[in-house]
Amino acid sequence: MKTLHNAHHALHQGREEMFRGRMVPCHEVPARLDFVLTELQRRPLGALEAPALDDAELDAAIARVHSARYTAFLAGAWDEWVAMDPANALRDALPSVWPLGNRHAFRTDVLPQNFAARLGLFSFDSGSPLMAGTWAAARGGAACALAAVREVLGGARSAFALTRPPGHHAGPDFFGGYCFLNNAAIAAQALRDGGKQRVAVLDVDYHHGNGTQTIFYERADVLTVSIHGDPATEYPFFLGHADERGAGAGEGFNLNLPLPRGTNFTTWRAALGQALDAMAAFNADALVVPMGLDTFEGDPISGFTLRSNDYFAVGEALAGAGLPTVFTFEGGYAVDAVGTNAVNLLEGFERAA
Ligand code: SP5
Ligand code: ZN
């Protein structure tokens, strides 16, 4: 399996995130990706490549998933942040005011001139700092996702998009959960546009893939499945319940499998079985796996108890679906174990594929 590597990822390097009224060091750090690279060099799965960046093609693929006003916001965000106050050049941008758009109380149709207001309009948390290199890094990740799709459309059984920042919390016009562009959704849409008829997204990150769910919620051509910590107690809290089944034409094409904090691998594996059954019933012809490793027992911000060896079995089970598969790199904050866990999963897949 080829790995598409995002050479720009380290340009995104947040300092602190807001957590319960105080600033704490960022969990989503460049070293996460470096540990995966190091492990891939130790246990190679295939070629490691930086995607050839065709700006127009990449912009078109991003535009299939994200709104024009959102990507324009992201592209100019850093300059506008610094224009608000030259001293801002020394601090990351974080939102602190939100329009509660889905309650129809605040206006979200009028684009505010005030940049702090726009930061809030296009986000849902204050844990996802934006800085000078965020846009370049996020685009680099999306380029990896797109190049991984090209691999698979060209006949490869699988490809790994080593994306950073992660993507699965980012929606059509919002960032949050450390995510800015939804790499997995961009991959799923590119697979559709490349001729695949029914694409499944199976999200194994600890946190519900709210961005991906929202992007495809009213569509029957992309099945979204997520196994995650119960949003009653776990981030992102406001989406990810079992009764969210899709809407309109998409009714029945979203499956959430929330599990309580503390869930072990036996129970988690049974949920994966349910997810794979739903995928088989859907008759998918391609698979995207937003691969979070924050289900690991040592993860500092999550609550499942998977062990490093369990990831081999996860990969094997995913390979059992027999589908062309694109992996994107999502969460996983036990930094010194994330490389081992990621490569275990991918190696398990390769062995069984
Ligand atoms: C991609 C992904 O996994 N995003 C997860 C975003 C979770 N953000 C909220 C995390 C709360 C952090 N808790 C800090 C604990 C400090 N001791
Ligand atoms: Zn996560």
Side-chain angles (χ1 to χ4, degrees), residues 232-249:
T233 59
E234 306 308 297
Y235 185 93
F237 306 115
F238 304 111
L239 211 62
H241 298 279
D243 64 356
E244 298 155 16
R245 304 293 317 271

PDB file of all heavy atoms in Angstrom, residues 232-249:
ATOM      1  N   ALA A 232     -23.330  11.454  24.515  1.00  0.00           N
ATOM      2  CA  ALA A 232     -23.937  11.915  25.773  1.00  0.00           C
ATOM      3  C   ALA A 232     -22.843  12.354  26.753  1.00  0.00           C
ATOM      4  O   ALA A 232     -23.054  13.267  27.554  1.00  0.00           O
ATOM      5  CB  ALA A 232     -24.779  10.797  26.393  1.00  0.00           C
ATOM      6  N   THR A 233     -21.671  11.710  26.650  1.00  0.00           N
ATOM      7  CA  THR A 233     -20.574  12.094  27.550  1.00  0.00           C
ATOM      8  C   THR A 233     -19.313  12.517  26.804  1.00  0.00           C
ATOM      9  O   THR A 233     -18.418  13.103  27.402  1.00  0.00           O
ATOM     10  CB  THR A 233     -20.185  10.917  28.491  1.00  0.00           C
ATOM     11  OG1 THR A 233     -19.785   9.795  27.684  1.00  0.00           O
ATOM     12  CG2 THR A 233     -21.347  10.496  29.381  1.00  0.00           C
ATOM     13  N   GLU A 234     -19.217  12.209  25.509  1.00  0.00           N
ATOM     14  CA  GLU A 234     -17.949  12.392  24.781  1.00  0.00           C
ATOM     15  C   GLU A 234     -18.058  13.442  23.679  1.00  0.00           C
ATOM     16  O   GLU A 234     -19.116  13.601  23.049  1.00  0.00           O
ATOM     17  CB  GLU A 234     -17.523  11.052  24.161  1.00  0.00           C
ATOM     18  CG  GLU A 234     -17.431   9.897  25.153  1.00  0.00           C
ATOM     19  CD  GLU A 234     -16.581  10.217  26.371  1.00  0.00           C
ATOM     20  OE1 GLU A 234     -15.369  10.468  26.198  1.00  0.00           O
ATOM     21  OE2 GLU A 234     -17.124  10.244  27.509  1.00  0.00           O
ATOM     22  N   TYR A 235     -16.929  14.117  23.419  1.00  0.00           N
ATOM     23  CA  TYR A 235     -16.809  15.055  22.311  1.00  0.00           C
ATOM     24  C   TYR A 235     -17.151  14.348  20.995  1.00  0.00           C
ATOM     25  O   TYR A 235     -16.746  13.207  20.837  1.00  0.00           O
ATOM     26  CB  TYR A 235     -15.366  15.581  22.283  1.00  0.00           C
ATOM     27  CG  TYR A 235     -15.118  16.643  21.257  1.00  0.00           C
ATOM     28  CD1 TYR A 235     -15.230  17.989  21.560  1.00  0.00           C
ATOM     29  CD2 TYR A 235     -14.785  16.289  19.948  1.00  0.00           C
ATOM     30  CE1 TYR A 235     -15.011  18.956  20.598  1.00  0.00           C
ATOM     31  CE2 TYR A 235     -14.576  17.258  18.983  1.00  0.00           C
ATOM     32  CZ  TYR A 235     -14.683  18.590  19.321  1.00  0.00           C
ATOM     33  OH  TYR A 235     -14.474  19.551  18.372  1.00  0.00           O
ATOM     34  N   PRO A 236     -17.850  14.947  20.040  1.00  0.00           N
ATOM     35  CA  PRO A 236     -18.304  16.344  19.947  1.00  0.00           C
ATOM     36  C   PRO A 236     -19.695  16.606  20.538  1.00  0.00           C
ATOM     37  O   PRO A 236     -20.276  17.659  20.234  1.00  0.00           O
ATOM     38  CB  PRO A 236     -18.280  16.620  18.442  1.00  0.00           C
ATOM     39  CG  PRO A 236     -18.627  15.302  17.831  1.00  0.00           C
ATOM     40  CD  PRO A 236     -18.043  14.255  18.745  1.00  0.00           C
ATOM     41  N   PHE A 237     -20.210  15.757  21.348  1.00  0.00           N
ATOM     42  CA  PHE A 237     -21.398  15.977  22.177  1.00  0.00           C
ATOM     43  C   PHE A 237     -22.731  16.201  21.444  1.00  0.00           C
ATOM     44  O   PHE A 237     -23.752  15.675  21.859  1.00  0.00           O
ATOM     45  CB  PHE A 237     -21.194  17.165  23.150  1.00  0.00           C
ATOM     46  CG  PHE A 237     -19.972  17.048  24.002  1.00  0.00           C
ATOM     47  CD1 PHE A 237     -18.921  17.950  23.869  1.00  0.00           C
ATOM     48  CD2 PHE A 237     -19.850  16.017  24.922  1.00  0.00           C
ATOM     49  CE1 PHE A 237     -17.773  17.836  24.652  1.00  0.00           C
ATOM     50  CE2 PHE A 237     -18.704  15.888  25.720  1.00  0.00           C
ATOM     51  CZ  PHE A 237     -17.672  16.808  25.578  1.00  0.00           C
ATOM     52  N   PHE A 238     -22.723  17.028  20.397  1.00  0.00           N
ATOM     53  CA  PHE A 238     -24.008  17.466  19.836  1.00  0.00           C
ATOM     54  C   PHE A 238     -24.428  16.696  18.587  1.00  0.00           C
ATOM     55  O   PHE A 238     -25.379  17.080  17.908  1.00  0.00           O
ATOM     56  CB  PHE A 238     -23.962  18.978  19.567  1.00  0.00           C
ATOM     57  CG  PHE A 238     -23.605  19.769  20.801  1.00  0.00           C
ATOM     58  CD1 PHE A 238     -22.389  20.431  20.895  1.00  0.00           C
ATOM     59  CD2 PHE A 238     -24.471  19.812  21.893  1.00  0.00           C
ATOM     60  CE1 PHE A 238     -22.048  21.133  22.050  1.00  0.00           C
ATOM     61  CE2 PHE A 238     -24.137  20.517  23.053  1.00  0.00           C
ATOM     62  CZ  PHE A 238     -22.922  21.176  23.125  1.00  0.00           C
ATOM     63  N   LEU A 239     -23.724  15.619  18.291  1.00  0.00           N
ATOM     64  CA  LEU A 239     -24.084  14.769  17.156  1.00  0.00           C
ATOM     65  C   LEU A 239     -23.436  13.411  17.401  1.00  0.00           C
ATOM     66  O   LEU A 239     -22.451  13.313  18.123  1.00  0.00           O
ATOM     67  CB  LEU A 239     -23.552  15.379  15.840  1.00  0.00           C
ATOM     68  CG  LEU A 239     -24.369  15.105  14.569  1.00  0.00           C
ATOM     69  CD1 LEU A 239     -25.776  15.689  14.667  1.00  0.00           C
ATOM     70  CD2 LEU A 239     -23.669  15.686  13.338  1.00  0.00           C
ATOM     71  N   GLY A 240     -24.027  12.369  16.793  1.00  0.00           N
ATOM     72  CA  GLY A 240     -23.438  11.046  16.913  1.00  0.00           C
ATOM     73  C   GLY A 240     -24.314  10.036  17.643  1.00  0.00           C
ATOM     74  O   GLY A 240     -23.868   8.936  17.954  1.00  0.00           O
ATOM     75  N   HIS A 241     -25.571  10.396  17.882  1.00  0.00           N
ATOM     76  CA  HIS A 241     -26.493   9.473  18.556  1.00  0.00           C
ATOM     77  C   HIS A 241     -27.017   8.413  17.578  1.00  0.00           C
ATOM     78  O   HIS A 241     -27.047   8.631  16.370  1.00  0.00           O
ATOM     79  CB  HIS A 241     -27.663  10.254  19.166  1.00  0.00           C
ATOM     80  CG  HIS A 241     -27.227  11.233  20.214  1.00  0.00           C
ATOM     81  ND1 HIS A 241     -26.964  10.865  21.509  1.00  0.00           N
ATOM     82  CD2 HIS A 241     -26.975  12.566  20.144  1.00  0.00           C
ATOM     83  CE1 HIS A 241     -26.578  11.933  22.203  1.00  0.00           C
ATOM     84  NE2 HIS A 241     -26.575  12.980  21.396  1.00  0.00           N
ATOM     85  N   ALA A 242     -27.457   7.297  18.152  1.00  0.00           N
ATOM     86  CA  ALA A 242     -27.882   6.158  17.337  1.00  0.00           C
ATOM     87  C   ALA A 242     -29.128   6.465  16.502  1.00  0.00           C
ATOM     88  O   ALA A 242     -29.360   5.829  15.479  1.00  0.00           O
ATOM     89  CB  ALA A 242     -28.136   4.947  18.236  1.00  0.00           C
ATOM     90  N   ASP A 243     -29.921   7.428  16.932  1.00  0.00           N
ATOM     91  CA  ASP A 243     -31.169   7.692  16.185  1.00  0.00           C
ATOM     92  C   ASP A 243     -30.963   8.635  14.986  1.00  0.00           C
ATOM     93  O   ASP A 243     -31.923   8.966  14.299  1.00  0.00           O
ATOM     94  CB  ASP A 243     -32.261   8.233  17.120  1.00  0.00           C
ATOM     95  CG  ASP A 243     -31.912   9.578  17.731  1.00  0.00           C
ATOM     96  OD1 ASP A 243     -30.788  10.077  17.509  1.00  0.00           O
ATOM     97  OD2 ASP A 243     -32.769  10.140  18.431  1.00  0.00           O
ATOM     98  N   GLU A 244     -29.740   9.006  14.697  1.00  0.00           N
ATOM     99  CA  GLU A 244     -29.460   9.815  13.500  1.00  0.00           C
ATOM    100  C   GLU A 244     -29.234   8.855  12.333  1.00  0.00           C
ATOM    101  O   GLU A 244     -28.170   8.255  12.207  1.00  0.00           O
ATOM    102  CB  GLU A 244     -28.216  10.694  13.744  1.00  0.00           C
ATOM    103  CG  GLU A 244     -28.421  11.684  14.889  1.00  0.00           C
ATOM    104  CD  GLU A 244     -27.116  12.116  15.557  1.00  0.00           C
ATOM    105  OE1 GLU A 244     -26.036  11.916  14.974  1.00  0.00           O
ATOM    106  OE2 GLU A 244     -27.194  12.638  16.691  1.00  0.00           O
ATOM    107  N   ARG A 245     -30.263   8.689  11.487  1.00  0.00           N
ATOM    108  CA  ARG A 245     -30.208   7.658  10.446  1.00  0.00           C
ATOM    109  C   ARG A 245     -30.116   8.214   9.031  1.00  0.00           C
ATOM    110  O   ARG A 245     -30.224   7.486   8.061  1.00  0.00           O
ATOM    111  CB  ARG A 245     -31.463   6.769  10.550  1.00  0.00           C
ATOM    112  CG  ARG A 245     -31.691   6.113  11.924  1.00  0.00           C
ATOM    113  CD  ARG A 245     -30.590   5.080  12.228  1.00  0.00           C
ATOM    114  NE  ARG A 245     -30.281   4.271  11.075  1.00  0.00           N
ATOM    115  CZ  ARG A 245     -30.885   3.133  10.753  1.00  0.00           C
ATOM    116  NH1 ARG A 245     -31.841   2.649  11.509  1.00  0.00           N
ATOM    117  NH2 ARG A 245     -30.516   2.478   9.671  1.00  0.00           N
ATOM    118  N   GLY A 246     -29.947   9.542   8.927  1.00  0.00           N
ATOM    119  CA  GLY A 246     -29.970  10.173   7.606  1.00  0.00           C
ATOM    120  C   GLY A 246     -31.312  10.847   7.391  1.00  0.00           C
ATOM    121  O   GLY A 246     -32.260  10.606   8.147  1.00  0.00           O
ATOM    122  N   ALA A 247     -31.382  11.708   6.357  1.00  0.00           N
ATOM    123  CA  ALA A 247     -32.623  12.448   6.110  1.00  0.00           C
ATOM    124  C   ALA A 247     -32.893  12.504   4.607  1.00  0.00           C
ATOM    125  O   ALA A 247     -31.969  12.406   3.793  1.00  0.00           O
ATOM    126  CB  ALA A 247     -32.517  13.865   6.677  1.00  0.00           C
ATOM    127  N   GLY A 248     -34.166  12.684   4.261  1.00  0.00           N
ATOM    128  CA  GLY A 248     -34.550  12.782   2.850  1.00  0.00           C
ATOM    129  C   GLY A 248     -34.103  11.539   2.096  1.00  0.00           C
ATOM    130  O   GLY A 248     -34.281  10.417   2.576  1.00  0.00           O
ATOM    131  N   ALA A 249     -33.455  11.772   0.944  1.00  0.00           N
ATOM    132  CA  ALA A 249     -32.955  10.641   0.147  1.00  0.00           C
ATOM    133  C   ALA A 249     -31.921   9.839   0.928  1.00  0.00           C
ATOM    134  O   ALA A 249     -31.678   8.667   0.635  1.00  0.00           O
ATOM    135  CB  ALA A 249     -32.345  11.160  -1.153  1.00  0.00           C
TER     136      ALA A 249
END
